[in-house]
């Protein structure tokens, strides 16, 4: 077993160089705390797909605070939608134009920015390098041992590290979470969604309209969402319970159903296609028994992707985890150090449960089992021309309640 400490041993390790881990490392450096970031993938990794597209203003603000100008740079690269549309069985029930609305309202940052996650990660990675974060690539964590005095981390290639604290942002299958004996609690949907990324034609880009279709008449009454991002758009098709999503990922079948939603020209500009189920899971604890390991992002929670809660809540986790570790490192005595970590766990567990429940409400709206709710949706669609607020309800409900008030941002 070879230790890889370099000239010194940073007091904190962050595991996972996705957006949450990169943010945690950047937040620690903003607090003047040395940090080493461990990533299982090699330095030349290729990250397919758009993944998380939507960066909320709260997240942009946090990133600007950690590294002045970072949130602004991400916002400039991302786009704001030209407008939003909601249709019910092919009929428009809601429309709003954003082209003449700057949306900053004195904040200096837009309400959101839409860009592919790999681009967001690129900005974060460059900021981490500039801030002096030490990076260890191809460091696939295999075992973690925590004690009252610190943590030892061992990688599959024989390297090992020790630190006072570990922030685990190593994703949905988190080896760190498994190593400290924490489990995910909750459920999953009984159907899948199919997601396809499409590149815009740079010679003739279409308006960046976010469109949600209830019961699309050209897709057998399935729901479908179209979300623009910088350079393209994502199509998200809801399969019926029991349907095989692979059927819709077949190239010939895609050429049949995609033109029902977007211009046929997009068929030759497919960037990526995949499927996913809706997972509604929260870790049974966000910390280990010794209060030395803190879980963040998808290592701690998985939500149905309504309201863009996943990455944005993970960024809030990262900020809160860095603050908790800073307090623990500077605490006068072990009890105060433990208390700082326990406060992190309590705050972010509450936020995660809020987001899980909010996404669950959105999921129930999209797949209503209640005849009363189905009837309410039909009635709202029929009456929306005369009563616009009913159309606005149909527009907002698929994303669930928007906010979870915490000390570390909205999400």
């Amino acid at each position: 077993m070879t230790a890889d400490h370099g000239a010194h041993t940073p007091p904190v390790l962050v595991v996972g160089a996705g957006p949450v881990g990169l943010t945690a490392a950047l937040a620690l450096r903003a607090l003047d705390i040395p940090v080493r970031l461990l990533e299982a993938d090699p330095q030349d990794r290729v990250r397919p797909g758009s993944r998380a597209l939507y960066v909320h203003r709260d997240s942009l603000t946090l990133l600007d605070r950690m590294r002045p100008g970072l949130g602004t740079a991400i916002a400039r690269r991302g786009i704001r939608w030209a407008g939003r549309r909601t249709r019910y069985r092919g009929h428009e029930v809601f429309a709003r134009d954003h082209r003449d609305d700057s949306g900053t309202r004195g904040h200096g940052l837009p309400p959101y920015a839409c860009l592919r996650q790999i681009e967001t990660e690129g900005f974060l990675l460059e900021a981490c390098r500039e801030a002096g974060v030490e990076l260890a690539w191809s460091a696939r964590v295999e075992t973690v041992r925590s004690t009252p005095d610190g943590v030892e981390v061992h990688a599959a290639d024989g390297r090992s590290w020790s630190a006072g604290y570990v922030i685990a942002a190593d994703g949905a299958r988190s080896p760190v979470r498994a190593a400290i004996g924490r489990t995910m609690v909750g459920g999953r949907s009984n159907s899948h969604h199919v997601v396809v990324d499409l590149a815009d034609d740079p010679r003739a880009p279409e308006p960046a309209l976010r469109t949600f279709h209830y019961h699309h008449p050209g897709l057998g009454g399935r729901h479908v969402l179209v979300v623009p991002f910088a350079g393209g758009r994502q199509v998200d098709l809801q399969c019926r319970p029991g349907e095989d999503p692979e059927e819709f990922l077949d190239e010939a079948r895609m050429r049949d159903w995609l033109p029902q939603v977007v211009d046929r020209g997009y068929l030759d500009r497919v960037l990526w296609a995949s499927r996913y189920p809706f997972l509604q899971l929260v870790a049974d604890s966000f910390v280990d028994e010794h209060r030395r390991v803190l879980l963040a992002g998808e290592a701690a929670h998985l939500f149905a992707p309504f309201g863009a809660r996943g990455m944005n809540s993970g960024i809030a986790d990262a900020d809160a985890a860095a603050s908790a570790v800073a307090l623990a490192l500077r605490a006068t005595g072990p009890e105060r150090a433990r208390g700082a970590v326990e406060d992190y766990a309590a705050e972010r567990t509450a936020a995660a449960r809020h987001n899980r429940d909010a996404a669950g409400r959105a999921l129930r709206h999209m797949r209503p089992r209640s005849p009363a709710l189905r009837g309410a949706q039909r009635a709202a669609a029929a009456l929306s021309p005369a009563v616009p607020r009913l159309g606005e309800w149909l527009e907002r409900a698929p994303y669930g309640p928007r906010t979870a008030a915490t000390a570390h941002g909205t999400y």
Side-chain angles (χ1 to χ4, degrees):
M1 194 76 68
T2 52
D4 183 16
H5 300 315
H8 67 285
T9 302
V12 188
L13 295 171
V14 174
V15 182
V20 177
L22 290 164
T23 300
L26 196 60
L28 287 162
R29 291 301 301 128
L31 295 167
D32 202 29
I33 297 172
V35 56
R36 180 175 282 126
L37 178 58
L38 313 181
E39 168 54 41
D41 289 337
Q43 188 169 356
D44 60 353
R45 66 184 181 177
V46 176
R47 302 267 277 177
S50 52
R51 300 172 185 253
L53 287 173
Y54 190 106
V55 188
H56 281 288
R57 175 187 280 150
D58 281 355
S59 298
L60 296 170
T61 301
L62 284 176
L63 296 176
D64 243 10
R65 190 195 73 203
M66 295 170 195
R67 191 78 177 169
L70 175 58
T72 301
I74 292 172
R76 285 175 179 162
R77 170 54 189 157
I79 63 167
R80 285 197 67 218
W81 304 326
R84 292 176 286 145
R85 304 287 186 272
T86 299
R87 298 178 182 273
Y88 190 96
R89 301 190 187 278
H91 300 288
E92 190 167 270
V93 296
F94 175 88
R96 184 155 297 165
D97 196 309
H98 296 305
R99 280 172 282 201
D100 296 325
D101 175 18
S102 69
T104 57
R105 299 177 189 173
H107 291 273
L109 288 165
Y112 60 88
C114 276
L115 67 167
R116 300 175 84 188
Q117 181 177 317
I118 185 62
E119 294 192 86
T120 301
E121 289 176 1
F123 282 103
L124 290 167
L125 180 57
E126 182 60 27
C128 281
R129 286 175 171 148
E130 291 174 355
V133 174
E134 299 178 29
L135 289 124
W137 298 96
S138 300
R140 186 171 298 279
V141 170
E142 204 166 58
T143 61
V144 178
R145 178 175 175 267
S146 73
T147 71
D149 299 316
V151 191
E152 293 180 0
V153 176
H154 304 276
D157 63 3
R159 284 179 290 172
S160 66
W161 301 268
S162 61
Y165 293 90
V166 168
I167 297 175
D170 52 339
R173 296 180 177 87
S174 172
V176 177
R177 184 183 64 232
I180 64 171
R182 299 315 187 201
T183 59
M184 300 291 262
V185 178
R188 59 180 288 162
S189 64
N190 61 351
S191 59
H192 282 76
H193 278 226
V194 168
V195 60
V196 183
D197 285 356
L198 305 166
D200 283 337
D201 182 347
R203 298 165 300 178
E206 295 188 13
L209 296 175
R210 194 240 59 199
T211 306
F212 183 77
H213 298 265
Y214 287 88
H215 308 294
H216 195 298
L219 295 172
R222 297 173 182 86
H223 296 342
V224 63
L225 174 66
V226 181
V227 180
F229 56 83
R233 58 204 63 216
Q234 182 187 89
V235 177
D236 188 313
L237 172 70
Q238 177 182 315
C239 298
R240 295 194 180 105
E243 280 187 321
D244 182 1
E246 294 297 330
E247 179 183 344
F248 295 93
L249 291 169
D250 176 78
E251 184 177 354
R253 182 67 192 277
M254 259 202 280
R255 298 186 76 85
D256 177 55
W257 70 263
L258 269 175
Q260 302 293 325
V261 186
V262 294
D263 186 90
R264 185 170 290 275
Y266 280 105
L267 293 175
D268 297 321
R269 300 195 299 274
V270 175
L271 299 172
W272 176 73
S274 189
R275 65 177 189 172
Y276 65 90
F278 286 161
L279 301 175
Q280 295 285 82
L281 303 172
V282 176
D284 56 357
S285 174
F286 280 32
V287 294
D288 71 309
E289 62 176 320
H290 299 297
R291 307 311 189 246
R292 291 285 178 170
V293 179
L294 296 78
L295 304 181
E298 290 190 338
H301 47 69
L302 292 162
F303 313 128
F306 303 122
R309 299 173 190 281
M311 182 178 70
N312 287 284
S313 66
I315 288 172
D317 290 343
D319 179 57
S323 296
V325 167
L327 287 171
L329 288 169
R330 294 162 184 162
T332 55
E335 289 307 312
R336 288 191 177 183
R338 287 174 61 91
V341 176
E342 288 169 355
D343 287 347
Y344 163 80
E347 177 191 315
R348 296 315 301 167
T349 299
R353 289 173 177 167
H354 168 90
N355 283 311
R356 177 201 59 196
D357 295 345
R361 286 176 61 180
L363 184 60
R364 288 190 294 274
H365 179 88
M366 290 182 66
R367 296 175 179 164
R369 296 181 180 178
S370 160
L373 180 53
R374 291 196 294 270
Q377 291 176 358
R378 288 194 298 269
L383 294 171
S384 61
V387 188
R389 62 185 174 84
L390 295 177
E392 187 156 356
W393 173 64
L394 289 169
E395 148 71 17
R396 291 185 176 276
Y399 310 100
R402 296 302 175 97
T403 59
T406 74
H408 285 82
T410 302
Y411 285 88

